[in-house]
Amino acid sequence: MTYTEALLRFVAGGSLILTVSLLGKSKFAYLASIAVLFPAVTVAGYYFLSFDVSTVQLKSIIFNSLYYVPTTMVFLYALYRFVGSMPMYKSLIIALGFWLIAALGTTALGNYFDIWKR
């Protein structure tokens, strides 16, 4: 990774965090939930990855990413359930634990059904 790539990734991530913070404090706070889900890391990741791998490999990686979408939903649901009953940092840690369990389970299912050979 070059310094330019690292700087672009840093600016994209920082811009997203700033946008979420500003929207969360505005009268349009509900828009922060959309901004949080903006795939800034995914866009930058796939863009820079496209320089290093073939189109066939990139399509395979994108398919595998689609397979892991439910892990994000598990994380968000767990966070939603715990955020009202405990401090935010504990809620995030527990939600990350649920995400990890979901990711390991999804990986195990993918290996069992040979999903990765597509």
Side-chain angles (χ1 to χ4, degrees):
M1 176 181 351
T2 66
Y3 289 115
T4 304
E5 290 175 23
L7 182 62
L8 285 173
R9 292 177 189 195
F10 177 78
V11 169
S15 298
L16 181 61
I17 292 169
L18 180 62
T19 301
V20 169
S21 296
L22 293 174
L23 284 172
K25 294 176 184 176
S26 74
K27 65 180 179 177
F28 304 108
Y30 61 91
L31 293 177
S33 62
I34 295 171
V36 168
L37 295 177
F38 178 75
V41 173
T42 306
V43 169
Y46 285 136
Y47 177 74
F48 290 113
L49 187 61
S50 71
F51 297 127
D52 299 329
V53 299
S54 70
T55 303
V56 173
Q57 289 173 310
L58 188 60
K59 286 180 76 173
S60 175
I61 293 167
I62 292 168
F63 176 80
N64 291 338
S65 296
L66 287 170
Y67 184 72
Y68 282 103
V69 166
T71 60
T72 301
M73 294 187 319
V74 167
F75 169 79
L76 290 172
Y77 182 73
L79 186 61
Y80 173 78
R81 296 298 295 170
F82 292 111
V83 78
S85 61
M86 57 186 61
M88 186 60 173
Y89 75 94
K90 286 183 181 179
S91 298
L92 285 168
I93 290 170
I94 291 172
L96 284 172
F98 275 83
W99 174 88
L100 180 61
I101 292 167
L104 292 173
T106 303
T107 301
L109 283 173
N111 287 335
Y112 181 77
F113 291 111
D114 288 329
I115 297 292
W116 316 128
K117 293 185 180 181
R118 293 182 191 249

